[in-house]
Amino acid sequence: MASAKKSKKYKPNKQPAVTSAAEQKKTSPKISEKRRKTGPYQPLLPGKWQSNVLIFLGLMIATVIIYSGDLHLGFFAVDDPGYITNNPWIKNISGENVNHILTTPYFANYSPVHLFSYMFDYALAGPSPYAFHLSSNIWAGIVSGFVYLVGLAFTKNRLAAIMAAILFIVHPVHVEAVAWISSRKDLIATAFALPSLLAYMKYRQVNGTKKIWYVLSLFLFTLAVAGKLSVATFPAVFFAWDLFIEKRSFVRSLIDKIPFLIVTLIIALAATSAQPSMGNQPDPYAISAVLIQNIWLLTGFANYVIYRIPPGAGSIILQILALIFLLAVFAAPLLLRRRWPKVTVLIYWILFAFIPAQILSFTHPVADRYLFFPSVAVAILIAWGLFALTKKLGKQGTIAAIAVAVIISFFWVWKTLSYLQEWRDPRSVWFAAISKTSDPVVFQNLGTYYLGTVEQLNATKASKSAVSDEVRGLASIVWKDNPKLPTLLSVWDQGKRESPEELAFQNQLRSLAWEAFDQSLKRKGNRIMPGLYYNRGLVLLNNGDLEGAKKEFLTTLDEASKETFAEVREQLTVYSHYDLGIIAWKKADYQQALKWFKMAEEEQTRFGGNWLPDISQNRKRMEQIVSSQSNH
């Protein structure tokens, strides 16, 4: 009985196993030495995967709803024609097109994954701007979902992670990146960079025993940097994670970043070799000014505008002080590394993400779209910080943290929707921009938009198409106090064109364009802007001022010779020579007109363009006129 009783008490499954340290390591290969000492294993993403997937999808849907106002914007006049409407390489899925996108820089850039996204959109919906905008909104939604997952991996707090994703969704600095289809590069780069980080964190969690996570991280990073070079410095965040979180040695932390560095260098060489030099030289003062401006924009309380004036260069003393400031900014987070290592990593994420836009020679070093990627870390920092600061208050603290986050979210979503409305303005986003910035390009683009509307009216008249809702909306605003507006809209409803009212409206648009060009010229300074002079020439040519137009087109040629962007330089050179031929034709100087037409035709052939398909026809017609004159 005693033996039986003793046997009954014996429960081997509850007895602690006594094994050597070597045996423990052998039987638990997935748990790092550091984690054995600090506590039990924790999953990278706490909670049930089903719940995380549902939250991910919910955040995607919320993003698409927030940005639904951009679905009817159409294609933007800047970059969208080059990347989408005039891009032959995205219009069908073929081996030739795929090979060309992978191997050849396009539109002064190398971002193949970005172009593949357009190819996919085109295959599904053709040249529908609605579909392209919806696609960009979905990409932004995917990023929002990954912001939640990254926030969860950092904080281990689902509520904080959800709040971080919500703050990210409504941040007003994102409007430009989402509403401007050509800025999808930033969305795609971030959409692949974030899961690359998660895969790397998983690789480190299993102590490198499953290399598949490392390979997956490298693959996703390759897709990210091939989407846009703006995430090129992201492996430095992985390095910071190793040093400050994992406490790995410097050398070991560096070794497994080498493949990431090689990928970055290959794509960076392809991208930078395709981009024209803007003549910008690194200046510590300018970089410091940009840094401060970027941080202010990331707060969500700034004014958001599509273009900003770049900061000027400082004196030698200012440059030295600025250099000291930059060194201090990058060194300061190290003071937090022991007590708040994850905060240190997030701060370096923000700082590292600023670097590519300052190293590359951009005309506009400060742009909202450049901040899409670093704003991920900002959203996580804010949400996590709110919950950390109120943690000691228990449930009341959680309520307080949520309340503050909700207040911030309401303010941000108001700014986001307000800025989206500026993009939907029938006068174009440039109209509101002229009250926020003195950048001459903004005024030039506003004038170009007015001229483009005139061209659109003439094109629809020639094709006997109806006047678009966009033009009707513009007329309703520009002529809102004009008694001729009802008549203009009425004749358009009847399908009539070339009415006195329409001609008067076109003249009004040309007048507004000239005013905008005049403001641009006053602010131009030493900027190279051949398009400004060319558009001024078009206005004067239409008004019958042939000598004034000729002067502007000749100035365009001089300005274009200094333009570093080859496509702009070549196109405006052909246009200017052609229009000089038109002026000579109007003056009955047929010999001179033939000379200009021949020059434009030869240049277009040499440049490989097809900007003016009727050059040959006009050249032949002029040859007939010259020949007829010679015979008489």
Side-chain angles (χ1 to χ4, degrees):
M1 293 292 293
S3 176
K5 188 175 183 180
K6 184 177 181 181
S7 176
K8 186 176 181 179
K9 289 183 176 180
Y10 178 63
K11 297 180 180 180
N13 60 319
K14 291 189 177 181
Q15 295 298 315
V18 180
T19 56
S20 66
E23 288 174 325
Q24 287 180 2
K25 187 174 182 180
K26 183 177 180 181
T27 57
S28 304
K30 295 184 179 180
I31 304 177
S32 68
E33 185 66 30
K34 174 177 177 269
R35 195 162 286 110
R36 280 188 216 101
K37 295 178 180 178
T38 57
Y41 170 81
Q42 290 184 338
L44 179 64
L45 301 174
K48 295 181 179 180
W49 69 267
Q50 295 94 333
S51 300
N52 289 334
V53 169
L54 287 175
I55 293 171
F56 190 106
L57 294 175
L59 292 167
M60 281 186 62
I61 294 170
T63 304
V64 173
I65 291 174
I66 286 288
Y67 283 96
S68 60
D70 71 3
L71 294 176
H72 298 283
L73 282 179
F75 291 114
F76 196 43
V78 180
D79 288 352
D80 282 1
Y83 276 124
I84 304 164
T85 56
N86 299 332
N87 183 357
W89 305 107
I90 67 166
K91 295 185 177 179
N92 63 78
I93 300 176
S94 66
E96 179 186 4
N97 287 358
V98 170
N99 180 67
H100 185 274
I101 289 173
L102 285 174
T103 60
T104 309
Y106 177 78
F107 204 57
N109 201 359
Y110 181 73
S111 56
V113 176
H114 166 231
L115 296 181
F116 284 140
S117 77
Y118 297 149
M119 179 185 284
F120 182 74
D121 291 350
Y122 207 97
L124 288 178
S128 165
Y130 183 98
F132 278 82
H133 279 293
L134 179 59
S135 180
S136 288
N137 294 355
I138 292 172
W139 277 104
I142 292 172
V143 174
S144 301
F146 278 120
V147 171
Y148 161 69
L149 295 181
V150 171
L152 188 60
F154 264 85
T155 68
K156 307 301 181 185
N157 183 325
R158 175 170 288 177
L159 200 54
I162 292 174
M163 191 55 67
I166 292 174
L167 288 171
F168 178 83
I169 291 171
V170 301
H171 202 304
V173 82
H174 298 161
V175 172
E176 180 180 308
V178 181
W180 186 359
I181 300 174
S182 294
S183 287
R184 189 186 296 175
K185 297 186 290 290
D186 298 272
L187 312 183
I188 289 175
T190 307
F192 286 114
L194 297 185
S196 173
L197 172 61
L198 290 172
Y200 185 81
M201 293 168 73
K202 185 66 177 178
Y203 156 72
R204 289 304 310 140
Q205 187 184 48
V206 298
N207 202 25
T209 56
K210 288 190 176 180
K211 300 295 183 183
I212 185 63
W213 292 110
Y214 178 82
V215 173
L216 180 60
S217 177
L218 181 60
F219 173 71
L220 290 169
F221 173 74
T222 302
L223 295 178
V225 78
K228 188 175 182 181
L229 200 56
S230 59
V231 297
T233 56
F234 200 37
V237 176
F238 300 3
F239 182 74
W241 178 271
D242 286 354
L243 288 181
F244 305 135
I245 309 299
E246 294 291 335
K247 308 298 182 184
R248 295 178 79 192
S249 68
F250 184 91
V251 174
R252 291 180 66 83
S253 300
L254 187 62
I255 289 174
D256 55 12
K257 307 305 175 299
I258 293 176
F260 290 88
L261 179 61
I262 292 173
V263 167
T264 299
L265 289 176
I266 291 173
I267 296 178
L269 287 173
T272 55
S273 65
Q275 293 174 350
S277 172
M278 299 300 177
N280 300 330
Q281 298 296 326
D283 182 299
Y285 175 76
I287 293 174
S288 296
V290 168
L291 175 63
I292 294 171
Q293 198 169 357
N294 281 336
I295 292 173
W296 174 236
L297 290 170
L298 283 172
T299 66
F301 298 99
N303 281 327
Y304 298 93
V305 64
I306 189 165
Y307 286 158
R308 296 178 178 84
I309 289 288
S315 63
I316 297 296
I317 295 177
L318 286 177
Q319 289 189 32
I320 294 173
L321 293 175
L323 182 59
I324 295 172
F325 168 74
L326 290 173
L327 292 174
V329 167
F330 276 84
L334 294 175
L335 300 174
L336 309 175
R337 70 187 189 280
R338 296 187 185 278
R339 188 171 181 181
W340 297 297
K342 290 183 179 179
V343 171
T344 304
V345 172
L346 288 170
I347 293 174
Y348 274 122
W349 178 339
I350 298 168
L351 295 176
F352 292 150
F354 290 155
I355 294 175
Q358 306 314 312
I359 292 179
L360 299 175
S361 184
F362 290 155
T363 304
H364 297 91
V366 185
D368 294 353
R369 58 191 181 277
Y370 302 156
L371 301 178
F372 187 82
F373 181 57
S375 68
V376 176
V378 170
I380 295 173
L381 270 175
I382 293 174
W384 193 11
L386 288 174
F387 281 89
L389 289 173
T390 58
K391 184 178 180 180
K392 292 183 179 180
L393 300 177
K395 187 176 180 179
Q396 290 181 337
T398 301
I399 294 173
I402 294 174
V404 174
V406 168
I407 292 172
I408 295 173
S409 298
F410 272 118
F411 181 78
W412 284 4
V413 77
W414 172 75
K415 295 208 70 169
T416 293
L417 294 177
S418 297
Y419 191 25
L420 264 176
Q421 189 59 39
E422 292 178 13
W423 281 79
R424 298 173 61 190
D425 191 322
R427 294 164 294 188
S428 81
V429 70
W430 307 112
F431 182 81
I434 63 174
S435 64
K436 297 180 180 181
T437 177
S438 58
D439 191 319
V441 177
V442 168
F443 291 86
Q444 176 192 342
N445 287 343
L446 177 61
T448 302
Y449 176 74
Y450 289 138
L451 285 188
T453 303
V454 173
E455 293 178 7
Q456 184 180 342
L457 282 170
N458 291 330
T460 55
K461 177 184 65 179
S463 63
K464 299 182 180 180
S465 302
V467 176
S468 68
D469 291 337
E470 179 185 16
V471 175
R472 290 171 180 271
L474 178 61
S476 298
I477 291 182
V478 171
W479 267 19
K480 66 179 181 179
D481 298 322
N482 193 317
K484 296 179 181 179
L485 176 62
T487 305
L488 175 64
L489 297 177
S490 176
V491 296
W492 280 346
D493 289 337
Q494 298 171 32
K496 296 179 181 179
R497 305 301 302 275
E498 291 191 288
S499 66
E501 290 79 14
E502 180 176 328
L503 295 177
F505 176 60
Q506 290 190 20
N507 288 333
Q508 176 71 29
L509 292 181
R510 291 191 184 97
S511 177
L512 291 173
W514 184 261
E515 291 175 9
F517 294 147
D518 190 52
Q519 292 298 319
S520 179
L521 189 62
K522 290 178 180 178
R523 293 165 169 78
K524 174 181 175 294
N526 59 359
R527 293 276 289 275
I528 304 300
M529 299 176 63
L532 172 60
Y533 295 103
Y534 179 74
N535 284 315
R536 285 168 58 89
L538 289 180
V539 174
L540 294 174
L541 180 59
N542 182 78
N543 292 340
D545 185 352
L546 300 183
E547 286 302 318
K550 180 179 179 180
K551 179 181 177 181
E552 296 294 336
F553 291 140
L554 289 173
T555 306
T556 301
L557 290 171
D558 179 64
E559 193 86 349
S561 67
K562 307 168 189 174
E563 172 63 57
T564 57
F565 193 173
E567 187 165 343
V568 172
R569 179 179 65 249
E570 294 166 358
Q571 186 174 356
L572 287 178
T573 298
V574 172
Y575 279 170
S576 297
H577 284 146
Y578 179 81
D579 286 316
L580 285 168
I582 295 294
I583 291 172
W585 191 348
K586 287 179 178 291
K587 289 182 174 181
D589 188 348
Y590 303 119
Q591 289 281 1
Q592 189 66 26
L594 179 59
K595 171 188 171 184
W596 290 124
F597 286 153
K598 282 184 175 180
M599 192 177 298
E601 183 181 26
E602 291 169 359
E603 287 166 342
Q604 181 165 263
T605 301
R606 186 170 72 253
F607 297 148
N610 189 35
W611 305 295
L612 297 171
D614 61 343
I615 288 183
S616 297
Q617 181 180 349
N618 283 335
R619 186 259 305 162
K620 291 176 182 178
R621 185 176 177 184
M622 195 55 54
E623 285 178 338
Q624 292 174 351
I625 295 174
V626 170
S627 176
S628 175
Q629 281 188 330
S630 299
N631 292 333
H632 288 82

